[in-house]
């Protein structure tokens, strides 16, 4: 089995942005065509620390280069207070013929990259040919850092980014870091209202209190795209008042997401208008002048697609380690044992 640690994955991902976008787009299209298996994610919520969880995402993705495996990802928000990353993950890829584990990859970078790529793809498809010059980032963590990287690929015309975070000083530090990395973009910090003044807004927080009421910010631009990545920020009224796009309706309307909460309140799912696979297949964006909200639950097929691209790049570059002993070995029954069994 090939093992790719954190540094191996980081090196393999360098310059791989366009390939990651292609992999995520292809995965969505294949899923929309029925060439995938995506069982519901399983949630493990340990008693402490409060708010912590570990999620397992098994999946199979068909197409020209089929792949199957499992993502195992933890989210421990209290880590941030100790200077640690909130999320950690491992990705297992299995051989299609034997089912044996084929590769083990450090998965947090794969997870953040697939989330960010899916958000940027959605922003591009939902805006269509309209240029996007302003973006807002609500939450200044790893996810939105990666979202910006992919937004610069899908919206190369991007000029101004407004940053907001509930932790004092975090947005200012983030802005200084990004200013060095993207000298062609102007970074400003502000409150939620300032961030929501942008054409595309990515919401990636650790909040799960449905705190964001879009109606309280009436000066938002028309046809604004909200990338609702953390899934539990928007109020029910915000969901019901928007044109809603999801990655998969059966996955997105569950596990206490804002969409799930809206369904429980109104008793139906008619407020969900489209799945992203259908939007990616259209030449024009949705015909609405209202706010468009993209709420991706996060399908395991995206992790598979990106992990496969990373593994391919890493193998070509000679990265990683081949580890023996991860196959079960031989289990042949000898003639003597067969005779005794009879």
């Amino acid at each position: 089995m090939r093992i790719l640690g954190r540094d191996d994955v980081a090196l393999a991902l360098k310059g791989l942005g366009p390939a990651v976008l292609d992999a995520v787009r292809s995965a969505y299209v294949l899923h929309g065509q029925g060439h995938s298996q995506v069982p519901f994610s399983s949630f493990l919520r340990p008693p402490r620390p409060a708010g912590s969880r570990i999620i397992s995402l098994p999946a199979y993705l068909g197409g020209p280069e089929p792949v199957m495996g499992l993502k195992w990802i933890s989210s421990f928000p209290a880590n941030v207070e100790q200077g640690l990353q909130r999320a950690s993950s491992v990705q297992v890829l299995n051989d299609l013929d034997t089912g044996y584990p084929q590769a083990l990859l450090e998965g947090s970078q794969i997870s953040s990259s697939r989330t960010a790529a899916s958000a940027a793809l959605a922003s591009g498809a939902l805006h269509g040919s309209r240029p996007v010059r302003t973006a807002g980032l609500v939450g200044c963590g790893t996810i939105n850092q990666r979202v910006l990287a992919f937004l610069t690929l899908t919206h190369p015309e991007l000029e101004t980014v407004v940053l907001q975070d509930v932790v004092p000083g975090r947005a200012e530090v983030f802005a200084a870091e990004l200013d060095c990395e993207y000298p062609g973009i102007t970074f400003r910090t502000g409150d939620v209202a300032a961030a929501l003044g942008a054409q595309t807004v990515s919401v990636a927080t650790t909040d799960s209190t449905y705190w964001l009421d879009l109606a309280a910010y009436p000066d938002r631009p028309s046809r604004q795209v909200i990338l609702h990545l953390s899934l539990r920020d928007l109020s029910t009224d915000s969901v019901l008042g928007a044109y809603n796009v999801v990655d998969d309706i059966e996955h997105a309307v569950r596990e206490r997401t804002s969409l799930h909460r809206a369904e429980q309140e109104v008793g139906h799912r008619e407020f969900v208008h489209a799945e992203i696979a259908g939007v990616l297949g259209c030449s024009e964006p949705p015909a609405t002048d209202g706010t468009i909200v993209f709420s991706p639950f996060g399908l395991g097929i995206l992790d598979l697609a990106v992990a496969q691209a990373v593994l391919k790049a890493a193998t070509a570059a000679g990265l990683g380690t081949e580890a023996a002993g991860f196959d079960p070995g031989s289990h042949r029954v000898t003639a003597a044992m067969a005779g005794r069994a009879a």
Side-chain angles (χ1 to χ4, degrees):
M1 183 170 68
R2 194 165 194 85
I3 298 178
L4 300 180
R6 178 192 62 221
D7 294 340
D8 299 320
V9 173
L11 285 171
L13 278 170
K14 281 187 179 297
L16 210 62
V20 170
L21 282 172
D22 288 344
V24 171
R25 181 190 297 276
S26 176
Y28 273 146
V29 171
L30 287 168
H31 180 65
Q33 295 171 345
H35 302 302
S36 64
Q37 293 183 41
V38 191
F40 283 143
S41 305
S42 295
F43 286 71
L44 173 66
R45 294 185 171 90
R48 61 182 182 85
S52 301
R53 67 188 182 192
I54 306 180
I55 313 173
S56 66
L57 293 85
Y60 166 85
L61 180 64
E65 297 184 82
V67 58
M68 66 180 178
L70 172 76
K71 172 185 178 179
W72 179 247
I73 182 167
S74 71
S75 174
F76 278 50
N79 285 354
V80 177
E81 300 169 7
Q82 305 174 51
L84 301 173
Q85 289 281 358
R86 173 186 59 84
S88 63
S89 177
V90 292
Q91 178 74 45
V92 179
L93 300 183
N94 293 82
D95 183 86
L96 290 161
D97 294 320
T98 65
Y100 291 177
Q102 185 179 40
L104 176 68
L105 301 87
E106 193 283 320
S108 65
Q109 299 169 87
I110 292 169
S111 182
S112 62
S113 293
R114 68 84 148 139
T115 300
S118 71
L121 279 173
S123 180
L126 295 171
H127 279 291
S129 59
R130 290 175 290 125
V132 173
R133 305 192 188 283
T134 60
L137 303 181
V138 178
C140 296
T142 299
I143 296 298
N144 268 343
Q145 183 181 35
R146 296 300 298 151
V147 167
L148 177 62
F150 284 100
L151 283 176
T152 61
L153 297 178
T154 58
H155 300 298
E157 70 278 9
L158 192 62
E159 296 175 349
T160 303
V161 177
V162 182
L163 311 173
Q164 185 275 338
D165 198 281
V166 295
V167 177
R170 181 178 289 174
E172 287 74 17
V173 171
F174 196 38
E177 293 173 353
L178 296 176
D179 191 55
C180 295
E181 190 172 355
Y182 303 97
I185 298 176
T186 298
F187 294 94
R188 296 190 290 107
T189 62
D191 57 12
V192 173
L196 286 174
Q199 293 167 276
T200 283
V201 181
S202 176
V203 184
T205 78
T206 57
D207 202 319
S208 299
T209 62
Y210 318 102
W211 61 278
L212 183 52
D213 182 8
L214 295 177
Y217 305 91
D219 296 330
R220 294 177 296 109
S222 61
R223 294 185 60 84
Q224 182 183 52
V225 173
I226 303 287
L227 306 171
H228 185 209
L229 304 184
S230 35
L231 292 173
R232 298 167 184 84
D233 292 281
L234 292 184
S235 67
T236 297
D237 286 345
S238 297
V239 170
L240 296 177
Y243 184 99
N244 291 286
V245 180
V246 299
D247 49 2
D248 184 293
I249 189 169
E250 296 298 329
H251 287 259
V253 189
R254 64 187 294 263
E255 289 294 338
R256 302 195 296 259
T257 65
S258 293
L259 296 160
H260 187 197
R261 194 166 180 249
E263 179 195 40
Q264 291 175 322
E265 182 167 318
V266 300
H268 61 76
R269 298 178 174 182
E270 295 173 10
F271 54 85
V272 179
H273 300 86
E275 292 186 343
I276 192 61
V279 176
L280 290 171
C282 293
S283 57
E284 296 293 331
T288 177
D289 290 328
T291 299
I292 304 173
V293 173
F294 176 55
S295 299
F297 193 78
L299 303 178
I301 55 171
L302 304 188
D303 298 275
L304 289 179
V306 175
Q308 189 175 50
V310 167
L311 180 60
K312 189 179 298 185
T315 302
L319 300 171
T321 304
E322 289 291 340
F326 282 89
D327 62 274
S330 176
H331 292 282
R332 293 179 187 154
V333 179
T334 65
M337 293 175 64
R340 288 197 296 272

